[in-house]
Amino acid sequence: MPSYETLCIFHPELPEARVKELTAWMQKVLQGSQGTVTRVEEWGMRDLGFRIKKQRRGYYVRIDHDASPLALKELERNLRLNEDVLRYLSVRATTPMPAQAPAPSPTADTAVSPEVGVEEQPQ
């Protein structure tokens, strides 16, 4: 199953208990569709870059999960219908790239000439 990241912005006037309820509800929706939640991060209250539904702040929650595309579609459908959600965004997570060996740096003995790939020896 592909990995996804979902970021939700909840209404700022919600109590902390309700935010935790909504986070658990999102996890339940994913697990009900054979998805697995790998990480939940509560970022807390933050200022928005611009007003969303007349609000200047929002409570941010990020969930990393492995789910089928149908499970993600069901989660987004439920988020769209919930009035406590100001905005959400789901993206497919990329796999980390393997570490590349660092490029060798020019030493004091050789200097790179303006022509690409041509090295000159000092005189």
Side-chain angles (χ1 to χ4, degrees):
M1 280 190 272
S3 296
Y4 295 98
E5 297 176 10
T6 301
L7 180 69
C8 293
I9 305 173
F10 295 121
H11 198 280
E13 295 175 1
L14 293 176
E16 187 83 23
R18 177 68 177 144
V19 171
K20 292 197 182 299
E21 248 178 60
L22 288 170
T23 304
W25 167 75
M26 290 171 56
Q27 293 177 15
K28 187 177 175 183
V29 168
L30 287 168
Q31 292 168 350
S33 302
Q34 286 74 38
T36 57
V37 176
T38 56
R39 182 172 31 174
V40 176
E41 294 179 7
E42 292 187 15
W43 292 355
M45 193 73 65
R46 293 181 173 228
D47 291 336
L48 301 173
F50 52 90
R51 286 186 181 196
I52 301 175
K53 296 182 183 177
K54 299 181 181 179
Q55 301 299 318
R56 293 181 185 266
R57 297 178 61 94
Y59 197 92
Y60 284 68
V61 175
R62 179 179 164 226
I63 296 181
D64 294 345
H65 52 94
D66 298 326
S68 67
L70 292 176
L72 180 66
K73 189 172 183 179
E74 178 64 18
L75 174 66
E76 288 181 344
R77 185 187 72 81
N78 283 297
L79 291 172
R80 193 176 312 116
L81 295 174
N82 194 326
E83 293 180 1
D84 294 333
V85 177
L86 295 179
R87 187 82 39 105
Y88 66 90
L89 178 67
S90 296
V91 295
R92 188 171 182 169
T94 58
T95 57
M97 298 296 291
Q100 296 178 348
S105 61
T107 61
D109 294 337
T110 61
V112 178
S113 71
E115 297 179 33
V116 178
V118 178
E119 294 184 6
E120 296 176 3
Q121 294 294 330
Q123 310 239 347

